[in-house]
Amino acid sequence: MSSGPLLVVLVLACSLLSARCAPNRPHIVFILADDLGWNDVGFTGNSDLQTPNIDTLAYSGRILSHYYAQPTCTPSRAALLTGKYPIRTGMQGYPLSPSEPRALPLDHKTLPEYLKDLGYQTHLVGKWHLGYYDWKFTPLARGFDTHFGYMNGFVGYYDHYMNAKNMSGHDFWRGTQQQKHLKGRYMTDLLTEETERLIEAAAENENPIFLLLSHLAVHSGNPGKDHEYPEDDIKRFSYIKDENRSKYAAMVWNLDKSVGRVVKALAKNDLLDNTLIVVTSDNGAQTRGLYANDGSNYPLRGLKFTMFEGGIRTVAAVWNAQIHGQEYASLTSLFHVTDWLPTLYEAAGGDLTDLSGMDGKSQLTSIANDGENDSQYNLRSEILLNVDERLGLSGIRYKNWKYLNGSYLNGSYEDHFGDYRNELYTYSMADLAKSEVAKDLKTKFPSLPVNNKAHVSEIRRENTIQCDKKDVRSKCNLVEGPCLFNLHLDPCEQENLYSEEQDIAIILQAKLDTYRSQITPQLNTVDDPAGNPKLHNDSWMPWRGGSICRRDQCPRSAATTFFSSKLCFAGVIGIF
């Protein structure tokens, strides 16, 4: 790239996101779906579902084509909020169970805490799932000014109860106040309405906001009610003959409508010009098995819980006014969930030298790059996928190579699932143009990428994964031994090159050994019977009491009662 275009990119990065270059720090709205599969949005090329709002936002901004998260929800959220691999925090194991006395350790500063240092108001709407057995581990004590949502990994979409391990309890909160009166309201709508309310309030406040909309959608509901959705929405998916897939389509449709409503709220309150929007998922879909939602990662291999591409390579897109409509919509370099903290911190005007011990790297310039030469901005050649020392699982990606060792549940989630190709469905350009996002973007930007059929077709083609390998000499079976893939040639992980590429395998094994030597032992522990909702008015709640006060505002004392903690916090954010 010549010095001229490079200068343009650097200026764009400055105007795009950095508060050090402009007086108006950006609002940040981070929309995190739960268990949304690679094949569940339109811009990846194969889906039989309808996501016109998500797609329009993606085509208009930047698609992160090689974005990686963790295999399950708790580790992914820990990585997002700390900028560190889960092995640094002890959160690399199985997701938190509802009565497990475990939480994200207090000695790790979180993304909302960093942003509060820069003057941001911080809000969590939806799922937490990083521990709540003591109030000091809950969102209001970990950097969020407000929380409207639930503590556990999922709840029923309408009754807001979580049923697990022969126990059942209500789990829906506004701060420290239970929201049982909202029973019967659809969770996706409730979380969206709260987000709209917070955006409207932000328009009246001089401070920027960081808003993490952490959706329940499209995680399965309680056993027996895996798919919950407004009944009127199922009709539009009559072309999908698989009944469960059509129900899931209705759930995704409501997630997509939520994205449209959020963008509309930003436009209505004149905040769209100065907002950075992220849409992504915490991990891949779970087509079958535990907490199956009938999502699809196809043609990627594997499901949630695995380190195959289907479990960890997730959909992701970023939009901002300054990157709207650029010619190149796809960022092809590696991007990891840990990168969000330094990226957003720099976006908010923070000095990266403030950060230490981070595995994440700021991808600010990568996002601003016009796509002419991604390699100049590729800050990552390596991603630790995970090390689970208890289950004997490990994985790493290095450049185009990927190494995996150890099998989860004897390989039951490690095949190719969810081939829902549908001859009755045709991708609709007209639906993109009619989407809520298109309507609101058009008020600010007369030229919309979704009105350019050639542009949309090219971006979809770029993000459509083809699995062409037919003559495979050695298939991967992790039950039998390690696997090595060249993802550039084999993105669907069909051919195991471990035996014939031993030099590469040895290098990657050595890298994993280095990470193993740095592990903080995982914190997973046995459930505490005292957490049973029957002991707490049929509610999942911080059963060991403690204080909700933040570290910099109230002293932490084991003797602090729940009552006194409420009094202390009342003066901080005026909840009571």
Side-chain angles (χ1 to χ4, degrees):
M1 180 180 285
S2 66
S3 60
L6 176 59
L7 178 61
V8 170
V9 169
L10 294 177
V11 171
L12 177 60
C14 182
S15 64
L16 169 62
L17 302 171
S18 179
R20 286 171 290 173
C21 307
N24 296 323
R25 289 164 293 170
H27 302 287
I28 301 169
V29 177
F30 197 109
I31 304 174
L32 184 62
D34 199 337
D35 292 7
L36 182 69
W38 177 268
N39 193 31
D40 293 333
V41 298
F43 68 78
T44 54
N46 288 312
S47 182
D48 57 341
L49 307 186
Q50 299 177 35
T51 55
N53 288 297
I54 294 173
D55 292 357
T56 299
L57 201 65
Y59 295 135
S60 302
R62 181 81 74 240
I63 295 168
L64 308 182
S65 298
H66 290 82
Y67 174 77
Y68 286 85
Q70 296 300 125
T72 55
C73 35
T74 294
S76 254
R77 291 157 203 275
L80 169 65
L81 293 190
T82 65
K84 301 174 184 178
Y85 292 135
I87 64 164
R88 316 292 189 193
T89 60
M91 303 299 282
Q92 66 268 30
Y94 195 80
L96 270 156
S97 64
S99 56
E100 184 183 2
R102 174 168 68 102
L104 182 67
L106 296 175
D107 54 349
H108 296 281
K109 191 172 181 179
T110 65
L111 172 58
E113 289 177 312
Y114 280 109
L115 292 178
K116 282 187 68 62
D117 290 344
L118 301 178
Y120 274 71
Q121 292 186 335
T122 58
H123 308 284
L124 173 61
V125 180
K127 177 173 173 174
W128 174 237
H129 209 197
L130 286 172
Y132 67 95
Y133 69 94
D134 186 301
W135 284 101
K136 67 186 177 185
F137 296 114
T138 58
L140 297 183
R142 301 309 307 270
F144 288 104
D145 292 323
T146 68
H147 176 221
F148 179 77
Y150 55 103
M151 302 290 194
N152 283 299
F154 67 92
V155 291
Y157 281 76
Y158 284 102
D159 66 10
H160 315 150
Y161 273 68
M162 181 189 189
N163 305 332
K165 300 186 177 181
N166 298 316
M167 295 181 286
S168 179
H170 179 264
D171 184 10
F172 196 17
W173 302 82
R174 180 180 293 282
T176 60
Q177 298 294 299
Q178 291 181 305
Q179 302 294 291
K180 288 187 175 181
H181 63 285
L182 295 175
K183 182 178 180 180
R185 296 286 314 283
Y186 191 56
M187 181 63 77
T188 304
D189 288 337
L190 286 169
L191 301 184
T192 305
E193 288 170 10
E194 177 71 3
T195 299
E196 292 169 326
R197 186 189 70 79
L198 290 168
I199 289 171
E200 183 176 359
E204 304 299 323
N205 194 303
E206 62 181 16
N207 292 331
I209 64 167
F210 167 62
L211 198 162
L212 174 54
L213 172 52
S214 183
H215 265 295
L216 170 61
V218 283
H219 197 290
S220 64
N222 285 304
K225 294 183 178 180
D226 300 320
H227 307 90
E228 294 190 277
Y229 51 88
E231 289 292 337
D232 289 345
D233 289 328
I234 196 68
K235 300 173 186 176
R236 70 181 301 115
F237 302 104
S238 59
Y239 61 87
I240 299 178
K241 300 308 178 185
D242 184 294
E243 182 179 3
N244 285 338
R245 180 68 173 172
S246 67
K247 293 176 179 178
Y248 178 74
M251 296 167 68
V252 173
W253 174 249
N254 279 274
L255 171 68
D256 186 75
K257 286 195 293 184
S258 174
V259 172
R261 289 172 60 182
V262 170
V263 173
K264 181 178 182 178
L266 290 166
K268 178 181 177 182
N269 289 282
D270 202 26
L271 300 180
L272 194 57
D273 275 355
N274 193 37
T275 298
L276 173 66
I277 305 173
V278 178
V279 180
T280 187
S281 180
D282 61 347
N283 45 249
Q286 185 71 345
T287 310
R288 49 168 281 183
L290 183 66
Y291 304 130
N293 65 357
D294 292 272
S296 172
N297 306 312
Y298 196 84
L300 297 179
R301 179 174 180 174
L303 302 180
K304 170 185 176 180
F305 294 103
T306 80
M307 284 181 279
F308 283 100
E309 295 290 276
I312 57 174
R313 184 176 173 182
T314 67
V315 295
V318 185
W319 182 90
N320 176 272
Q322 277 68 42
I323 59 175
H324 175 87
Q326 287 188 12
E327 180 181 356
Y328 297 92
S330 296
L331 175 65
T332 59
S333 54
L334 294 180
F335 198 115
H336 188 250
V337 61
T338 55
D339 296 339
W340 287 120
L341 192 154
T343 298
L344 297 180
Y345 186 70
E346 186 178 16
D351 187 339
L352 291 178
T353 61
D354 297 339
L355 308 179
S356 62
M358 296 282 162
D359 294 298
K361 303 176 183 297
S362 175
Q363 299 264 20
L364 189 66
T365 309
S366 298
I367 293 171
N369 174 29
D370 65 3
E372 183 177 338
N373 188 350
D374 278 348
S375 63
Q376 291 201 21
Y377 305 100
N378 187 356
L379 301 177
R380 278 196 173 275
S381 60
E382 177 177 311
I383 294 174
L384 174 66
L385 305 179
N386 201 24
V387 175
D388 187 323
E389 73 276 23
R390 292 191 187 179
L391 294 180
L393 307 175
S394 60
I396 189 170
R397 174 161 179 176
Y398 178 65
K399 297 183 178 178
N400 289 327
W401 294 98
K402 181 176 176 181
Y403 173 88
L404 299 178
N405 194 13
S407 180
Y408 183 77
L409 286 185
N410 204 34
S412 58
Y413 295 164
E414 296 173 356
D415 207 340
H416 293 85
F417 303 99
D419 184 0
Y420 292 115
R421 284 174 289 189
N422 194 322
E423 295 179 357
L424 299 177
Y425 175 65
T426 301
Y427 193 66
S428 174
M429 290 283 293
D431 285 349
L432 296 176
K434 292 186 296 185
S435 69
E436 187 60 57
V437 169
K439 294 175 184 176
D440 292 312
L441 291 183
K442 191 173 183 179
T443 63
K444 297 285 185 180
F445 311 99
S447 177
L448 287 182
V450 294
N451 291 332
N452 185 333
K453 185 175 181 179
H455 173 83
V456 170
S457 297
E458 176 64 15
I459 297 303
R460 289 191 82 220
R461 185 194 63 77
E462 289 177 358
N463 288 280
T464 300
I465 294 174
Q466 302 287 347
C467 298
D468 299 325
K469 297 186 78 66
K470 295 184 174 71
D471 300 322
V472 176
R473 285 168 287 181
S474 178
K475 293 184 178 180
C476 169
N477 185 343
L478 288 173
V479 176
E480 298 176 350
C483 294
L484 179 70
F485 305 102
N486 184 329
L487 293 180
H488 177 68
L489 302 175
D490 181 21
C492 298
E493 300 170 296
Q494 295 172 295
E495 183 169 17
N496 182 10
L497 301 176
Y498 178 73
S499 296
E500 57 189 270
E501 297 286 355
Q502 271 293 293
D503 289 347
I504 298 295
I506 289 171
I507 291 172
L508 300 190
Q509 287 168 335
K511 288 178 176 292
L512 280 171
D513 287 341
T514 299
Y515 284 115
R516 285 192 188 92
S517 71
Q518 302 167 355
I519 272 185
T520 296
Q522 63 183 262
L523 301 173
N524 296 71
T525 187
V526 297
D527 292 337
D528 184 353
N532 193 323
K534 288 184 178 180
L535 304 176
H536 308 285
N537 193 29
D538 290 326
S539 298
W540 298 105
M541 65 176 296
W543 63 93
R544 295 188 182 179
S547 170
I548 201 169
C549 301
R550 299 190 192 100
R551 290 175 298 182
D552 59 344
Q553 294 169 331
C554 297
R556 296 185 180 276
S557 169
T560 303
T561 65
F562 175 50
F563 177 71
S564 65
S565 72
K566 288 198 294 185
L567 290 178
C568 179
F569 209 70
V572 177
I573 59 174
I575 289 179
F576 298 96

